[in-house]
PDB file of all heavy atoms in Angstrom:
ATOM      1  N   ALA S  42     179.900  94.339 146.009  1.00 81.00           N
ATOM      2  CA  ALA S  42     178.894  93.639 146.714  1.00 81.00           C
ATOM      3  C   ALA S  42     177.621  94.420 146.931  1.00 81.00           C
ATOM      4  O   ALA S  42     176.529  93.929 146.745  1.00 81.00           O
ATOM      5  CB  ALA S  42     179.412  93.157 148.106  1.00 81.00           C
ATOM      6  N   ILE S  43     177.772  95.717 147.216  1.00 80.00           N
ATOM      7  CA  ILE S  43     176.665  96.583 147.360  1.00 80.00           C
ATOM      8  C   ILE S  43     175.933  96.748 146.062  1.00 80.00           C
ATOM      9  O   ILE S  43     174.702  96.633 145.972  1.00 80.00           O
ATOM     10  CB  ILE S  43     177.131  98.010 147.843  1.00 80.00           C
ATOM     11  CG1 ILE S  43     177.610  97.857 149.256  1.00 80.00           C
ATOM     12  CG2 ILE S  43     175.922  98.971 147.791  1.00 80.00           C
ATOM     13  CD1 ILE S  43     178.304  99.157 149.769  1.00 80.00           C
ATOM     14  N   THR S  44     176.695  96.936 145.008  1.00 79.00           N
ATOM     15  CA  THR S  44     176.066  97.030 143.599  1.00 79.00           C
ATOM     16  C   THR S  44     175.323  95.729 143.283  1.00 79.00           C
ATOM     17  O   THR S  44     174.220  95.781 142.706  1.00 79.00           O
ATOM     18  CB  THR S  44     177.072  97.337 142.585  1.00 79.00           C
ATOM     19  OG1 THR S  44     177.789  98.523 142.951  1.00 79.00           O
ATOM     20  CG2 THR S  44     176.518  97.487 141.199  1.00 79.00           C
ATOM     21  N   GLY S  45     175.870  94.616 143.641  1.00 81.00           N
ATOM     22  CA  GLY S  45     175.243  93.329 143.384  1.00 81.00           C
ATOM     23  C   GLY S  45     173.956  93.217 144.100  1.00 81.00           C
ATOM     24  O   GLY S  45     172.937  92.685 143.512  1.00 81.00           O
ATOM     25  N   ARG S  46     173.852  93.704 145.304  1.00 87.00           N
ATOM     26  CA  ARG S  46     172.603  93.688 146.043  1.00 87.00           C
ATOM     27  C   ARG S  46     171.540  94.553 145.356  1.00 87.00           C
ATOM     28  O   ARG S  46     170.348  94.188 145.283  1.00 87.00           O
ATOM     29  CB  ARG S  46     172.801  94.121 147.517  1.00 87.00           C
ATOM     30  CG  ARG S  46     173.517  93.110 148.376  1.00 87.00           C
ATOM     31  CD  ARG S  46     173.317  93.362 149.829  1.00 87.00           C
ATOM     32  NE  ARG S  46     174.008  94.593 150.280  1.00 87.00           N
ATOM     33  CZ  ARG S  46     175.297  94.592 150.682  1.00 87.00           C
ATOM     34  NH1 ARG S  46     176.004  93.560 150.696  1.00 87.00           N
ATOM     35  NH2 ARG S  46     175.788  95.792 151.052  1.00 87.00           N
ATOM     36  N   PHE S  47     171.958  95.733 144.890  1.00 84.00           N
ATOM     37  CA  PHE S  47     171.058  96.566 144.160  1.00 84.00           C
ATOM     38  C   PHE S  47     170.584  95.904 142.864  1.00 84.00           C
ATOM     39  O   PHE S  47     169.388  96.026 142.494  1.00 84.00           O
ATOM     40  CB  PHE S  47     171.736  97.938 143.819  1.00 84.00           C
ATOM     41  CG  PHE S  47     171.695  98.918 144.956  1.00 84.00           C
ATOM     42  CD1 PHE S  47     172.884  99.477 145.358  1.00 84.00           C
ATOM     43  CD2 PHE S  47     170.543  99.202 145.616  1.00 84.00           C
ATOM     44  CE1 PHE S  47     172.891 100.374 146.389  1.00 84.00           C
ATOM     45  CE2 PHE S  47     170.569 100.124 146.690  1.00 84.00           C
ATOM     46  CZ  PHE S  47     171.756 100.732 147.058  1.00 84.00           C
ATOM     47  N   ASP S  48     171.508  95.222 142.168  1.00 84.00           N
ATOM     48  CA  ASP S  48     171.133  94.471 140.911  1.00 84.00           C
ATOM     49  C   ASP S  48     170.052  93.401 141.249  1.00 84.00           C
ATOM     50  O   ASP S  48     169.075  93.220 140.523  1.00 84.00           O
ATOM     51  CB  ASP S  48     172.350  93.833 140.303  1.00 84.00           C
ATOM     52  CG  ASP S  48     173.260  94.853 139.600  1.00 84.00           C
ATOM     53  OD1 ASP S  48     172.741  95.954 139.404  1.00 84.00           O
ATOM     54  OD2 ASP S  48     174.437  94.546 139.475  1.00 84.00           O
ATOM     55  N   THR S  49     170.234  92.650 142.386  1.00 90.00           N
ATOM     56  CA  THR S  49     169.284  91.662 142.767  1.00 90.00           C
ATOM     57  C   THR S  49     167.903  92.258 143.075  1.00 90.00           C
ATOM     58  O   THR S  49     166.899  91.766 142.679  1.00 90.00           O
ATOM     59  CB  THR S  49     169.868  90.909 144.007  1.00 90.00           C
ATOM     60  OG1 THR S  49     171.102  90.228 143.649  1.00 90.00           O
ATOM     61  CG2 THR S  49     168.836  89.858 144.467  1.00 90.00           C
ATOM     62  N   ALA S  50     167.966  93.363 143.825  1.00 91.00           N
ATOM     63  CA  ALA S  50     166.692  94.082 144.218  1.00 91.00           C
ATOM     64  C   ALA S  50     165.996  94.548 142.927  1.00 91.00           C
ATOM     65  O   ALA S  50     164.722  94.443 142.861  1.00 91.00           O
ATOM     66  CB  ALA S  50     166.971  95.209 145.162  1.00 91.00           C
ATOM     67  N   ALA S  51     166.788  95.090 142.013  1.00 89.00           N
ATOM     68  CA  ALA S  51     166.145  95.592 140.767  1.00 89.00           C
ATOM     69  C   ALA S  51     165.560  94.428 139.974  1.00 89.00           C
ATOM     70  O   ALA S  51     164.448  94.544 139.417  1.00 89.00           O
ATOM     71  CB  ALA S  51     167.211  96.296 139.860  1.00 89.00           C
ATOM     72  N   GLY S  52     166.213  93.302 139.963  1.00 91.00           N
ATOM     73  CA  GLY S  52     165.664  92.077 139.236  1.00 91.00           C
ATOM     74  C   GLY S  52     164.399  91.612 139.899  1.00 91.00           C
ATOM     75  O   GLY S  52     163.401  91.301 139.161  1.00 91.00           O
ATOM     76  N   GLU S  53     164.372  91.533 141.196  1.00 93.00           N
ATOM     77  CA  GLU S  53     163.144  91.130 141.977  1.00 93.00           C
ATOM     78  C   GLU S  53     162.018  92.081 141.695  1.00 93.00           C
ATOM     79  O   GLU S  53     160.844  91.706 141.507  1.00 93.00           O
ATOM     80  CB  GLU S  53     163.460  91.022 143.398  1.00 93.00           C
ATOM     81  CG  GLU S  53     164.416  89.852 143.748  1.00 93.00           C
ATOM     82  CD  GLU S  53     164.831  89.856 145.210  1.00 93.00           C
ATOM     83  OE1 GLU S  53     164.527  90.875 145.925  1.00 93.00           O
ATOM     84  OE2 GLU S  53     165.402  88.808 145.647  1.00 93.00           O
ATOM     85  N   ASN S  54     162.340  93.397 141.629  1.00 91.00           N
ATOM     86  CA  ASN S  54     161.381  94.384 141.396  1.00 91.00           C
ATOM     87  C   ASN S  54     160.740  94.263 140.045  1.00 91.00           C
ATOM     88  O   ASN S  54     159.501  94.360 139.824  1.00 91.00           O
ATOM     89  CB  ASN S  54     162.001  95.814 141.539  1.00 91.00           C
ATOM     90  CG  ASN S  54     161.033  96.987 141.259  1.00 91.00           C
ATOM     91  OD1 ASN S  54     160.915  97.413 140.177  1.00 91.00           O
ATOM     92  ND2 ASN S  54     160.400  97.403 142.318  1.00 91.00           N
ATOM     93  N   THR S  55     161.603  94.019 139.005  1.00 91.00           N
ATOM     94  CA  THR S  55     161.103  93.790 137.626  1.00 91.00           C
ATOM     95  C   THR S  55     160.200  92.622 137.578  1.00 91.00           C
ATOM     96  O   THR S  55     159.129  92.615 136.914  1.00 91.00           O
ATOM     97  CB  THR S  55     162.304  93.601 136.709  1.00 91.00           C
ATOM     98  OG1 THR S  55     163.124  94.724 136.721  1.00 91.00           O
ATOM     99  CG2 THR S  55     161.840  93.373 135.277  1.00 91.00           C
ATOM    100  N   ILE S  56     160.541  91.540 138.202  1.00 92.00           N
ATOM    101  CA  ILE S  56     159.697  90.324 138.225  1.00 92.00           C
ATOM    102  C   ILE S  56     158.311  90.593 138.843  1.00 92.00           C
ATOM    103  O   ILE S  56     157.291  90.172 138.352  1.00 92.00           O
ATOM    104  CB  ILE S  56     160.422  89.172 138.947  1.00 92.00           C
ATOM    105  CG1 ILE S  56     161.578  88.705 138.115  1.00 92.00           C
ATOM    106  CG2 ILE S  56     159.440  88.004 139.132  1.00 92.00           C
ATOM    107  CD1 ILE S  56     162.461  87.702 138.875  1.00 92.00           C
ATOM    108  N   SER S  57     158.352  91.342 139.983  1.00 94.00           N
ATOM    109  CA  SER S  57     157.078  91.687 140.645  1.00 94.00           C
ATOM    110  C   SER S  57     156.177  92.488 139.762  1.00 94.00           C
ATOM    111  O   SER S  57     154.977  92.359 139.708  1.00 94.00           O
ATOM    112  CB  SER S  57     157.409  92.441 141.966  1.00 94.00           C
ATOM    113  OG  SER S  57     158.139  91.623 142.897  1.00 94.00           O
ATOM    114  N   ILE S  58     156.810  93.458 139.075  1.00 92.00           N
ATOM    115  CA  ILE S  58     156.028  94.230 138.109  1.00 92.00           C
ATOM    116  C   ILE S  58     155.446  93.422 137.055  1.00 92.00           C
ATOM    117  O   ILE S  58     154.255  93.567 136.689  1.00 92.00           O
ATOM    118  CB  ILE S  58     156.886  95.451 137.533  1.00 92.00           C
ATOM    119  CG1 ILE S  58     157.243  96.424 138.652  1.00 92.00           C
ATOM    120  CG2 ILE S  58     156.176  96.096 136.409  1.00 92.00           C
ATOM    121  CD1 ILE S  58     158.180  97.509 138.190  1.00 92.00           C
ATOM    122  N   ARG S  59     156.237  92.507 136.498  1.00 93.00           N
ATOM    123  CA  ARG S  59     155.781  91.642 135.419  1.00 93.00           C
ATOM    124  C   ARG S  59     154.595  90.717 135.881  1.00 93.00           C
ATOM    125  O   ARG S  59     153.630  90.634 135.184  1.00 93.00           O
ATOM    126  CB  ARG S  59     156.885  90.807 134.919  1.00 93.00           C
ATOM    127  CG  ARG S  59     156.498  89.938 133.624  1.00 93.00           C
ATOM    128  CD  ARG S  59     157.621  89.048 133.175  1.00 93.00           C
ATOM    129  NE  ARG S  59     158.858  89.825 132.891  1.00 93.00           N
ATOM    130  CZ  ARG S  59     159.976  89.673 133.484  1.00 93.00           C
ATOM    131  NH1 ARG S  59     160.187  88.807 134.447  1.00 93.00           N
ATOM    132  NH2 ARG S  59     161.070  90.427 133.097  1.00 93.00           N
ATOM    133  N   ASN S  60     154.732  90.268 137.090  1.00 93.00           N
ATOM    134  CA  ASN S  60     153.705  89.418 137.637  1.00 93.00           C
ATOM    135  C   ASN S  60     152.414  90.182 137.843  1.00 93.00           C
ATOM    136  O   ASN S  60     151.266  89.680 137.599  1.00 93.00           O
ATOM    137  CB  ASN S  60     154.147  88.762 138.945  1.00 93.00           C
ATOM    138  CG  ASN S  60     155.199  87.712 138.794  1.00 93.00           C
ATOM    139  OD1 ASN S  60     155.369  87.219 137.639  1.00 93.00           O
ATOM    140  ND2 ASN S  60     155.920  87.404 139.877  1.00 93.00           N
ATOM    141  N   ALA S  61     152.503  91.416 138.337  1.00 93.00           N
ATOM    142  CA  ALA S  61     151.361  92.210 138.571  1.00 93.00           C
ATOM    143  C   ALA S  61     150.663  92.590 137.272  1.00 93.00           C
ATOM    144  O   ALA S  61     149.455  92.576 137.122  1.00 93.00           O
ATOM    145  CB  ALA S  61     151.785  93.540 139.326  1.00 93.00           C
ATOM    146  N   ILE S  62     151.473  92.907 136.247  1.00 93.00           N
ATOM    147  CA  ILE S  62     150.875  93.228 134.901  1.00 93.00           C
ATOM    148  C   ILE S  62     150.155  91.967 134.397  1.00 93.00           C
ATOM    149  O   ILE S  62     149.067  92.154 133.761  1.00 93.00           O
ATOM    150  CB  ILE S  62     151.951  93.713 134.009  1.00 93.00           C
ATOM    151  CG1 ILE S  62     152.418  95.083 134.413  1.00 93.00           C
ATOM    152  CG2 ILE S  62     151.406  93.779 132.588  1.00 93.00           C
ATOM    153  CD1 ILE S  62     153.629  95.682 133.635  1.00 93.00           C
TER     154      ILE S  62
END
Side-chain angles (χ1 to χ4, degrees):
I43 294 172
T44 303
R46 287 198 293 272
F47 279 127
D48 287 340
T49 299
E53 292 173 350
N54 179 270
T55 299
I56 292 172
S57 296
I58 290 175
R59 185 183 302 121
N60 289 341
I62 291 175

